[in-house]
Amino acid sequence: MNSSQIRAAIVGSTGYGGVELIRLLQSHPKVTVTSVISSSASGAPIAEGFPHLTEIRMDLLDGVDVDLIRSKADVVFLATPHGISMKLAPEFLNAGLKVIDLSGDFRLKSGEVYKQWYKHEPADQALVERAVYGLAEVYGQQVAGSDFISNPGCFTTTALLGLYPAVKAGWINTDSLIIDAKSGVSGAGRGLNLSAHYSEINENFKAYKINKHQHTPEIEQVLTEAAGKPVITTFTTHLVPMTRGIMCTMYATLTEKRSSEDFVELYRQFYEGRKFVRIRPAGQWPATKEVFGTNYCDIGFSVDERTGRITFISVIDNLVKGAAGQAIQNLNLMMNWDETLGLQFTPVYP
């Protein structure tokens, strides 16, 4: 593989995550997308299903043919539903390709926990152990030089970037942790889903998967590692009538007296040099519109001296930092490139 220029294939190119990879990689100086793949629409032009790609991508969609893809690509992004990646990843790895999986099939290290939350059989444990968990700002050193990355979930990315430094430092009581998460409808994917119909979500705001969301054990797995002891959270997800964006509003009790300014300084030191995490000054809190279309995660804090608790606000674009953007950031780290390559977008505003 020529590390100065690589070829990429995208399995699942007709989903929102896949087409976002296409959009972002169009601007990457060291990556050429050489194969867009869909098992359900092979042979059709990609622009037929996504007219916004007219005269930008002329590709016909390939089917899932490992030998064909191996002849065209050096790295494969798997933007597939859960349960599919666990079947495809070993084939591509055995063919000598690098793999970045955007599904949840390799995120959880316990097969029993995966089965409990995802409701089907887990992937081969040896492959699960081989996959590096790609929360770039925390595990970037392990990602570098790896050939197999498990991209974190969108809610998980938002919550973990907002909580990890405080948990690692022991500044909050993890037994008190509550995560209140809200997502735009694109997080549900492009498939037909009654809850995502316009008349169901417009002028509406609703909770879903209460105490059952599959990102719960993923969050707890990483925070347990950070805390050095088991962490259990209350994690509630909501759909809001917007297309993109996630906001996690998180609450915890302080272990000792701290100020908002103390948290700002802690987080700025922890994320120093990591250009995609932006820490707001005390008294300022981020909004989803301020990261729209980008790979940024913006974080703000408010310590309540009256209650001895802290409120964290963390926001991302779920299709970028929560999926395709972080996958490309992980590719950059895998290849020992600057992690910002192809991702230096200014947020779309207003």
Side-chain angles (χ1 to χ4, degrees), residues 122-187:
D124 179 82
Q125 188 61 31
L127 276 176
V128 172
E129 295 298 331
R130 181 176 173 181
V132 174
Y133 186 68
L135 186 64
E137 282 75 18
V138 176
Y139 300 110
Q141 288 187 335
Q142 291 96 308
V143 171
S146 173
D147 64 353
F148 184 22
I149 301 299
S150 177
N151 220 51
C154 53
F155 280 123
T156 313
T157 296
T158 320
L160 289 178
L161 291 177
L163 292 171
Y164 191 95
V167 171
K168 186 75 172 177
W171 284 20
I172 58 174
N173 180 350
T174 54
D175 292 338
S176 67
L177 189 55
I178 295 172
I179 304 171
D180 178 28
K182 302 170 181 69
S183 174
V185 186
S186 61

Short mmCIF file of all heavy atoms in Angstrom, two decimals, residues 122-187:
data_model
loop_
_atom_site.label_atom_id
_atom_site.label_comp_id
_atom_site.label_asym_id
_atom_site.label_seq_id
_atom_site.Cartn_x
_atom_site.Cartn_y
_atom_site.Cartn_z
N PRO A 122 -23.20 -12.77 19.04
CA PRO A 122 -22.07 -11.86 18.86
C PRO A 122 -21.10 -12.34 17.80
O PRO A 122 -21.16 -13.49 17.34
CB PRO A 122 -21.40 -11.88 20.25
CG PRO A 122 -21.73 -13.23 20.79
CD PRO A 122 -23.11 -13.56 20.29
N ALA A 123 -20.17 -11.48 17.42
CA ALA A 123 -19.10 -11.82 16.49
C ALA A 123 -18.09 -12.75 17.17
O ALA A 123 -18.10 -12.91 18.40
CB ALA A 123 -18.40 -10.54 16.02
N ASP A 124 -17.24 -13.34 16.36
CA ASP A 124 -16.17 -14.18 16.89
C ASP A 124 -15.32 -13.40 17.87
O ASP A 124 -14.88 -12.28 17.57
CB ASP A 124 -15.30 -14.68 15.72
CG ASP A 124 -14.16 -15.55 16.18
OD1 ASP A 124 -14.37 -16.75 16.43
OD2 ASP A 124 -13.04 -15.01 16.32
N GLN A 125 -15.07 -13.98 19.05
CA GLN A 125 -14.40 -13.24 20.12
C GLN A 125 -12.99 -12.82 19.73
O GLN A 125 -12.51 -11.76 20.14
CB GLN A 125 -14.37 -14.08 21.40
CG GLN A 125 -13.87 -13.34 22.63
CD GLN A 125 -14.74 -12.14 23.01
OE1 GLN A 125 -15.95 -12.15 22.78
NE2 GLN A 125 -14.13 -11.10 23.56
N ALA A 126 -12.30 -13.63 18.93
CA ALA A 126 -10.95 -13.26 18.51
C ALA A 126 -10.96 -11.99 17.69
O ALA A 126 -10.07 -11.14 17.81
CB ALA A 126 -10.32 -14.41 17.72
N LEU A 127 -12.00 -11.82 16.85
CA LEU A 127 -12.11 -10.60 16.05
C LEU A 127 -12.49 -9.41 16.93
O LEU A 127 -12.01 -8.29 16.72
CB LEU A 127 -13.16 -10.78 14.96
CG LEU A 127 -12.71 -11.45 13.67
CD1 LEU A 127 -13.89 -11.64 12.75
CD2 LEU A 127 -11.63 -10.64 12.98
N VAL A 128 -13.35 -9.66 17.92
CA VAL A 128 -13.72 -8.59 18.84
C VAL A 128 -12.48 -8.07 19.57
O VAL A 128 -12.28 -6.85 19.72
CB VAL A 128 -14.77 -9.09 19.86
CG1 VAL A 128 -15.02 -8.05 20.94
CG2 VAL A 128 -16.08 -9.45 19.14
N GLU A 129 -11.62 -8.97 19.99
CA GLU A 129 -10.40 -8.57 20.69
C GLU A 129 -9.44 -7.86 19.75
O GLU A 129 -8.68 -6.97 20.18
CB GLU A 129 -9.72 -9.79 21.30
CG GLU A 129 -10.53 -10.47 22.39
CD GLU A 129 -10.79 -9.58 23.59
OE1 GLU A 129 -9.96 -8.69 23.87
OE2 GLU A 129 -11.84 -9.75 24.25
N ARG A 130 -9.46 -8.23 18.49
CA ARG A 130 -8.55 -7.61 17.51
C ARG A 130 -8.96 -6.18 17.18
O ARG A 130 -8.10 -5.33 16.90
CB ARG A 130 -8.54 -8.46 16.23
CG ARG A 130 -7.63 -7.93 15.13
CD ARG A 130 -7.62 -8.90 13.97
NE ARG A 130 -6.90 -8.39 12.81
CZ ARG A 130 -6.77 -9.05 11.65
NH1 ARG A 130 -7.28 -10.27 11.52
NH2 ARG A 130 -6.10 -8.50 10.64
N ALA A 131 -10.27 -5.89 17.21
CA ALA A 131 -10.75 -4.57 16.83
C ALA A 131 -10.35 -3.53 17.86
O ALA A 131 -10.56 -3.71 19.06
CB ALA A 131 -12.27 -4.60 16.68
N VAL A 132 -9.79 -2.42 17.39
CA VAL A 132 -9.43 -1.30 18.27
C VAL A 132 -10.62 -0.35 18.33
O VAL A 132 -11.17 0.05 17.29
CB VAL A 132 -8.19 -0.56 17.74
CG1 VAL A 132 -7.92 0.70 18.58
CG2 VAL A 132 -6.98 -1.48 17.76
N TYR A 133 -11.03 0.00 19.53
CA TYR A 133 -12.15 0.91 19.72
C TYR A 133 -11.71 2.32 19.36
O TYR A 133 -10.81 2.89 19.97
CB TYR A 133 -12.64 0.84 21.16
CG TYR A 133 -13.90 1.63 21.42
CD1 TYR A 133 -15.11 1.22 20.86
CD2 TYR A 133 -13.88 2.76 22.22
CE1 TYR A 133 -16.27 1.94 21.10
CE2 TYR A 133 -15.04 3.48 22.46
CZ TYR A 133 -16.23 3.06 21.90
OH TYR A 133 -17.38 3.78 22.13
N GLY A 134 -12.38 2.90 18.35
CA GLY A 134 -11.87 4.11 17.72
C GLY A 134 -12.42 5.42 18.25
O GLY A 134 -12.80 6.29 17.45
N LEU A 135 -12.47 5.58 19.57
CA LEU A 135 -12.75 6.91 20.12
C LEU A 135 -11.45 7.68 20.03
O LEU A 135 -10.58 7.59 20.89
CB LEU A 135 -13.26 6.81 21.56
CG LEU A 135 -13.73 8.12 22.19
CD1 LEU A 135 -14.97 8.67 21.46
CD2 LEU A 135 -14.03 7.94 23.67
N ALA A 136 -11.31 8.46 18.98
CA ALA A 136 -10.01 8.95 18.53
C ALA A 136 -9.27 9.77 19.59
O ALA A 136 -8.05 9.64 19.74
CB ALA A 136 -10.18 9.77 17.25
N GLU A 137 -9.98 10.60 20.32
CA GLU A 137 -9.33 11.48 21.29
C GLU A 137 -8.86 10.75 22.54
O GLU A 137 -8.07 11.27 23.31
CB GLU A 137 -10.27 12.63 21.69
CG GLU A 137 -10.35 13.74 20.67
CD GLU A 137 -11.17 13.40 19.45
OE1 GLU A 137 -11.96 12.44 19.51
OE2 GLU A 137 -11.06 14.10 18.42
N VAL A 138 -9.34 9.54 22.74
CA VAL A 138 -8.95 8.75 23.92
C VAL A 138 -8.02 7.62 23.54
O VAL A 138 -7.02 7.36 24.22
CB VAL A 138 -10.20 8.20 24.64
CG1 VAL A 138 -9.80 7.29 25.80
CG2 VAL A 138 -11.08 9.35 25.14
N TYR A 139 -8.31 6.93 22.43
CA TYR A 139 -7.55 5.74 22.06
C TYR A 139 -6.76 5.92 20.76
O TYR A 139 -6.44 4.96 20.07
CB TYR A 139 -8.50 4.55 21.91
CG TYR A 139 -9.25 4.23 23.18
CD1 TYR A 139 -10.62 4.47 23.28
CD2 TYR A 139 -8.59 3.72 24.29
CE1 TYR A 139 -11.31 4.19 24.46
CE2 TYR A 139 -9.27 3.43 25.47
CZ TYR A 139 -10.63 3.67 25.54
OH TYR A 139 -11.30 3.40 26.71
N GLY A 140 -6.43 7.16 20.44
CA GLY A 140 -5.73 7.44 19.19
C GLY A 140 -4.41 6.69 19.03
O GLY A 140 -4.05 6.29 17.93
N GLN A 141 -3.67 6.49 20.12
CA GLN A 141 -2.38 5.80 20.04
C GLN A 141 -2.56 4.34 19.64
O GLN A 141 -1.75 3.79 18.90
CB GLN A 141 -1.64 5.90 21.36
CG GLN A 141 -1.09 7.29 21.65
CD GLN A 141 -0.22 7.33 22.89
OE1 GLN A 141 -0.35 6.51 23.79
NE2 GLN A 141 0.68 8.29 22.95
N GLN A 142 -3.65 3.71 20.13
CA GLN A 142 -3.91 2.32 19.74
C GLN A 142 -4.41 2.23 18.30
O GLN A 142 -4.15 1.23 17.61
CB GLN A 142 -4.95 1.69 20.68
CG GLN A 142 -4.46 1.46 22.10
CD GLN A 142 -4.85 2.59 23.04
OE1 GLN A 142 -4.60 3.77 22.75
NE2 GLN A 142 -5.48 2.26 24.16
N VAL A 143 -5.11 3.27 17.85
CA VAL A 143 -5.62 3.28 16.48
C VAL A 143 -4.46 3.35 15.48
O VAL A 143 -4.48 2.69 14.43
CB VAL A 143 -6.58 4.48 16.27
CG1 VAL A 143 -6.93 4.64 14.79
CG2 VAL A 143 -7.85 4.29 17.11
N ALA A 144 -3.44 4.14 15.80
CA ALA A 144 -2.30 4.32 14.89
C ALA A 144 -1.66 2.98 14.56
O ALA A 144 -1.27 2.24 15.46
CB ALA A 144 -1.29 5.27 15.51
N GLY A 145 -1.58 2.66 13.29
CA GLY A 145 -0.94 1.43 12.86
C GLY A 145 -1.83 0.21 12.88
O GLY A 145 -1.44 -0.86 12.42
N SER A 146 -3.05 0.33 13.40
CA SER A 146 -3.98 -0.80 13.42
C SER A 146 -4.55 -1.06 12.03
O SER A 146 -4.52 -0.18 11.16
CB SER A 146 -5.12 -0.51 14.41
OG SER A 146 -6.11 -1.51 14.35
N ASP A 147 -5.10 -2.25 11.84
CA ASP A 147 -5.74 -2.56 10.56
C ASP A 147 -7.24 -2.80 10.70
O ASP A 147 -7.92 -3.07 9.72
CB ASP A 147 -5.09 -3.77 9.88
CG ASP A 147 -5.26 -5.07 10.68
OD1 ASP A 147 -5.77 -5.01 11.82
OD2 ASP A 147 -4.88 -6.13 10.16
N PHE A 148 -7.77 -2.68 11.95
CA PHE A 148 -9.17 -2.99 12.17
C PHE A 148 -9.71 -2.10 13.29
O PHE A 148 -9.28 -2.21 14.45
CB PHE A 148 -9.31 -4.47 12.55
CG PHE A 148 -10.73 -4.96 12.71
CD1 PHE A 148 -11.80 -4.32 12.13
CD2 PHE A 148 -10.98 -6.10 13.47
CE1 PHE A 148 -13.10 -4.78 12.29
CE2 PHE A 148 -12.26 -6.58 13.63
CZ PHE A 148 -13.33 -5.92 13.04
N ILE A 149 -10.64 -1.21 12.92
CA ILE A 149 -11.18 -0.23 13.86
C ILE A 149 -12.68 -0.43 14.01
O ILE A 149 -13.40 -0.59 13.02
CB ILE A 149 -10.92 1.21 13.38
CG1 ILE A 149 -9.42 1.46 13.21
CG2 ILE A 149 -11.54 2.23 14.34
CD1 ILE A 149 -8.62 1.32 14.47
N SER A 150 -13.14 -0.40 15.25
CA SER A 150 -14.56 -0.36 15.56
C SER A 150 -14.92 1.08 15.92
O SER A 150 -14.51 1.59 16.96
CB SER A 150 -14.89 -1.30 16.72
OG SER A 150 -16.25 -1.22 17.07
N ASN A 151 -15.67 1.73 15.03
CA ASN A 151 -16.03 3.14 15.23
C ASN A 151 -17.10 3.25 16.32
O ASN A 151 -18.07 2.49 16.32
CB ASN A 151 -16.59 3.69 13.92
CG ASN A 151 -16.13 5.09 13.62
OD1 ASN A 151 -14.94 5.38 13.66
ND2 ASN A 151 -17.06 5.97 13.31
N PRO A 152 -16.96 4.17 17.26
CA PRO A 152 -17.95 4.29 18.34
C PRO A 152 -19.33 4.72 17.84
O PRO A 152 -19.47 5.29 16.76
CB PRO A 152 -17.36 5.37 19.25
CG PRO A 152 -15.90 5.38 18.94
CD PRO A 152 -15.82 5.06 17.48
N GLY A 153 -20.32 4.49 18.68
CA GLY A 153 -21.66 4.96 18.39
C GLY A 153 -21.76 6.47 18.51
O GLY A 153 -20.92 7.12 19.14
N CYS A 154 -22.82 7.03 17.93
CA CYS A 154 -22.97 8.49 17.92
C CYS A 154 -23.29 9.05 19.30
O CYS A 154 -22.65 10.00 19.76
CB CYS A 154 -24.01 8.90 16.89
SG CYS A 154 -25.60 8.04 17.07
N PHE A 155 -24.28 8.46 19.98
CA PHE A 155 -24.56 8.89 21.35
C PHE A 155 -23.34 8.68 22.24
O PHE A 155 -23.02 9.50 23.09
CB PHE A 155 -25.75 8.11 21.92
CG PHE A 155 -27.09 8.59 21.49
CD1 PHE A 155 -27.98 7.73 20.86
CD2 PHE A 155 -27.51 9.90 21.73
CE1 PHE A 155 -29.24 8.15 20.47
CE2 PHE A 155 -28.77 10.33 21.35
CZ PHE A 155 -29.65 9.46 20.71
N THR A 156 -22.69 7.54 22.04
CA THR A 156 -21.54 7.19 22.86
C THR A 156 -20.43 8.23 22.72
O THR A 156 -19.83 8.66 23.72
CB THR A 156 -20.99 5.81 22.45
OG1 THR A 156 -22.09 4.89 22.35
CG2 THR A 156 -20.00 5.30 23.46
N THR A 157 -20.14 8.62 21.50
CA THR A 157 -19.10 9.62 21.25
C THR A 157 -19.41 10.92 21.99
O THR A 157 -18.56 11.51 22.65
CB THR A 157 -18.95 9.88 19.75
OG1 THR A 157 -18.52 8.68 19.10
CG2 THR A 157 -17.96 10.99 19.46
N THR A 158 -20.66 11.36 21.87
CA THR A 158 -21.07 12.62 22.51
C THR A 158 -20.92 12.54 24.02
O THR A 158 -20.36 13.44 24.66
CB THR A 158 -22.53 12.95 22.16
OG1 THR A 158 -22.78 12.63 20.79
CG2 THR A 158 -22.83 14.41 22.40
N ALA A 159 -21.42 11.45 24.60
CA ALA A 159 -21.39 11.30 26.05
C ALA A 159 -19.97 11.10 26.57
O ALA A 159 -19.55 11.74 27.55
CB ALA A 159 -22.27 10.13 26.47
N LEU A 160 -19.19 10.25 25.91
CA LEU A 160 -17.86 9.94 26.42
C LEU A 160 -16.91 11.12 26.33
O LEU A 160 -16.14 11.37 27.27
CB LEU A 160 -17.27 8.74 25.67
CG LEU A 160 -17.91 7.39 25.97
CD1 LEU A 160 -17.28 6.30 25.11
CD2 LEU A 160 -17.79 7.02 27.46
N LEU A 161 -16.93 11.85 25.22
CA LEU A 161 -16.04 13.01 25.13
C LEU A 161 -16.40 14.04 26.20
O LEU A 161 -15.53 14.74 26.73
CB LEU A 161 -16.10 13.62 23.74
CG LEU A 161 -15.48 12.76 22.62
CD1 LEU A 161 -15.67 13.43 21.26
CD2 LEU A 161 -14.00 12.48 22.87
N GLY A 162 -17.70 14.11 26.52
CA GLY A 162 -18.13 15.04 27.55
C GLY A 162 -17.82 14.60 28.97
O GLY A 162 -17.71 15.45 29.86
N LEU A 163 -17.65 13.31 29.21
CA LEU A 163 -17.49 12.79 30.57
C LEU A 163 -16.11 12.23 30.90
O LEU A 163 -15.69 12.25 32.06
CB LEU A 163 -18.53 11.69 30.82
CG LEU A 163 -19.98 12.11 30.88
CD1 LEU A 163 -20.88 10.88 30.91
CD2 LEU A 163 -20.26 13.00 32.08
N TYR A 164 -15.42 11.72 29.89
CA TYR A 164 -14.22 10.92 30.15
C TYR A 164 -13.18 11.65 31.02
O TYR A 164 -12.69 11.07 32.01
CB TYR A 164 -13.59 10.47 28.83
CG TYR A 164 -12.51 9.42 29.00
CD1 TYR A 164 -12.81 8.08 28.89
CD2 TYR A 164 -11.18 9.78 29.25
CE1 TYR A 164 -11.83 7.10 29.03
CE2 TYR A 164 -10.20 8.82 29.42
CZ TYR A 164 -10.52 7.48 29.30
OH TYR A 164 -9.55 6.53 29.47
N PRO A 165 -12.79 12.90 30.73
CA PRO A 165 -11.76 13.53 31.55
C PRO A 165 -12.17 13.66 33.02
O PRO A 165 -11.34 13.46 33.93
CB PRO A 165 -11.56 14.90 30.90
CG PRO A 165 -11.99 14.71 29.48
CD PRO A 165 -13.14 13.75 29.57
N ALA A 166 -13.44 13.99 33.28
CA ALA A 166 -13.88 14.15 34.67
C ALA A 166 -13.91 12.83 35.40
O ALA A 166 -13.55 12.74 36.59
CB ALA A 166 -15.27 14.79 34.70
N VAL A 167 -14.32 11.77 34.70
CA VAL A 167 -14.33 10.44 35.32
C VAL A 167 -12.90 9.97 35.57
O VAL A 167 -12.57 9.44 36.64
CB VAL A 167 -15.09 9.43 34.42
CG1 VAL A 167 -14.92 8.00 34.93
CG2 VAL A 167 -16.57 9.81 34.37
N LYS A 168 -12.03 10.16 34.60
CA LYS A 168 -10.62 9.75 34.73
C LYS A 168 -9.95 10.46 35.89
O LYS A 168 -9.14 9.87 36.63
CB LYS A 168 -9.89 10.06 33.43
CG LYS A 168 -8.45 9.55 33.35
CD LYS A 168 -8.41 8.05 33.11
CE LYS A 168 -7.00 7.56 32.85
NZ LYS A 168 -6.96 6.08 32.69
N ALA A 169 -10.28 11.73 36.09
CA ALA A 169 -9.67 12.52 37.16
C ALA A 169 -10.30 12.25 38.52
O ALA A 169 -9.78 12.71 39.55
CB ALA A 169 -9.78 14.01 36.83
N GLY A 170 -11.43 11.53 38.55
CA GLY A 170 -12.11 11.27 39.81
C GLY A 170 -12.86 12.47 40.37
O GLY A 170 -13.13 12.53 41.57
N TRP A 171 -13.22 13.41 39.51
CA TRP A 171 -13.87 14.64 39.95
C TRP A 171 -15.37 14.50 40.15
O TRP A 171 -15.99 15.38 40.73
CB TRP A 171 -13.59 15.77 38.97
CG TRP A 171 -12.20 16.33 39.08
CD1 TRP A 171 -11.10 15.75 39.65
CD2 TRP A 171 -11.77 17.61 38.60
NE1 TRP A 171 -10.01 16.57 39.55
CE2 TRP A 171 -10.38 17.72 38.92
CE3 TRP A 171 -12.39 18.66 37.93
CZ2 TRP A 171 -9.63 18.85 38.59
CZ3 TRP A 171 -11.64 19.78 37.60
CH2 TRP A 171 -10.27 19.87 37.93
N ILE A 172 -15.97 13.42 39.64
CA ILE A 172 -17.41 13.24 39.81
C ILE A 172 -17.69 11.85 40.37
O ILE A 172 -16.93 10.91 40.17
CB ILE A 172 -18.18 13.43 38.48
CG1 ILE A 172 -17.69 12.45 37.40
CG2 ILE A 172 -18.11 14.86 38.01
CD1 ILE A 172 -18.51 12.50 36.11
N ASN A 173 -18.79 11.76 41.10
CA ASN A 173 -19.25 10.48 41.64
C ASN A 173 -20.01 9.75 40.54
O ASN A 173 -21.11 10.15 40.15
CB ASN A 173 -20.15 10.74 42.85
CG ASN A 173 -20.67 9.47 43.47
OD1 ASN A 173 -20.52 8.38 42.92
ND2 ASN A 173 -21.30 9.59 44.63
N THR A 174 -19.43 8.68 40.01
CA THR A 174 -20.04 7.99 38.86
C THR A 174 -21.34 7.28 39.24
O THR A 174 -22.13 6.97 38.35
CB THR A 174 -19.05 6.98 38.26
OG1 THR A 174 -18.59 6.08 39.29
CG2 THR A 174 -17.86 7.69 37.63
N ASP A 175 -21.58 7.05 40.53
CA ASP A 175 -22.86 6.44 40.93
C ASP A 175 -24.03 7.39 40.72
O ASP A 175 -25.19 6.97 40.70
CB ASP A 175 -22.81 6.03 42.40
CG ASP A 175 -21.84 4.88 42.67
OD1 ASP A 175 -21.55 4.14 41.70
OD2 ASP A 175 -21.39 4.73 43.81
N SER A 176 -23.73 8.68 40.56
CA SER A 176 -24.79 9.68 40.42
C SER A 176 -25.03 10.09 38.96
O SER A 176 -25.83 10.99 38.70
CB SER A 176 -24.40 10.94 41.21
OG SER A 176 -23.27 11.58 40.61
N LEU A 177 -24.40 9.42 38.03
CA LEU A 177 -24.34 9.89 36.64
C LEU A 177 -25.65 9.66 35.89
O LEU A 177 -26.17 8.54 35.82
CB LEU A 177 -23.20 9.18 35.92
CG LEU A 177 -22.81 9.65 34.54
CD1 LEU A 177 -22.49 11.13 34.53
CD2 LEU A 177 -21.60 8.85 34.06
N ILE A 178 -26.18 10.73 35.30
CA ILE A 178 -27.38 10.68 34.47
C ILE A 178 -27.06 11.33 33.13
O ILE A 178 -26.49 12.42 33.07
CB ILE A 178 -28.56 11.42 35.13
CG1 ILE A 178 -28.97 10.70 36.43
CG2 ILE A 178 -29.76 11.50 34.17
CD1 ILE A 178 -30.00 11.45 37.24
N ILE A 179 -27.41 10.63 32.04
CA ILE A 179 -27.16 11.12 30.68
C ILE A 179 -28.50 11.27 29.97
O ILE A 179 -29.23 10.31 29.75
CB ILE A 179 -26.26 10.15 29.89
CG1 ILE A 179 -24.94 9.90 30.62
CG2 ILE A 179 -26.01 10.67 28.47
CD1 ILE A 179 -24.10 8.79 30.03
N ASP A 180 -28.82 12.51 29.61
CA ASP A 180 -30.07 12.85 28.92
C ASP A 180 -29.69 13.23 27.49
O ASP A 180 -29.08 14.28 27.26
CB ASP A 180 -30.73 14.02 29.65
CG ASP A 180 -32.02 14.48 28.99
OD1 ASP A 180 -32.68 13.66 28.35
OD2 ASP A 180 -32.33 15.68 29.10
N ALA A 181 -30.01 12.36 26.52
CA ALA A 181 -29.50 12.50 25.16
C ALA A 181 -30.63 12.76 24.17
O ALA A 181 -31.70 12.14 24.25
CB ALA A 181 -28.74 11.23 24.77
N LYS A 182 -30.34 13.65 23.21
CA LYS A 182 -31.35 14.02 22.20
C LYS A 182 -30.70 13.99 20.82
O LYS A 182 -29.60 14.51 20.64
CB LYS A 182 -31.91 15.41 22.50
CG LYS A 182 -32.54 15.51 23.89
CD LYS A 182 -32.86 16.94 24.25
CE LYS A 182 -33.47 17.01 25.65
NZ LYS A 182 -32.47 16.68 26.71
N SER A 183 -31.39 13.38 19.86
CA SER A 183 -30.81 13.19 18.52
C SER A 183 -31.77 13.63 17.43
O SER A 183 -32.99 13.48 17.55
CB SER A 183 -30.47 11.71 18.32
OG SER A 183 -30.03 11.47 16.99
N GLY A 184 -31.18 14.11 16.33
CA GLY A 184 -31.94 14.33 15.12
C GLY A 184 -32.34 13.01 14.48
O GLY A 184 -31.78 11.95 14.78
N VAL A 185 -33.28 13.06 13.54
CA VAL A 185 -33.92 11.86 13.02
C VAL A 185 -33.00 11.05 12.09
O VAL A 185 -33.18 9.85 11.91
CB VAL A 185 -35.22 12.24 12.29
CG1 VAL A 185 -35.99 11.00 11.86
CG2 VAL A 185 -36.09 13.10 13.18
N SER A 186 -31.97 11.68 11.52
CA SER A 186 -31.07 10.93 10.63
C SER A 186 -30.36 9.80 11.37
O SER A 186 -29.88 8.85 10.75
CB SER A 186 -30.05 11.86 9.99
OG SER A 186 -29.24 12.48 10.98
N GLY A 187 -30.30 9.89 12.70
CA GLY A 187 -29.68 8.81 13.47
C GLY A 187 -30.42 7.49 13.35
O GLY A 187 -29.84 6.43 13.60
#
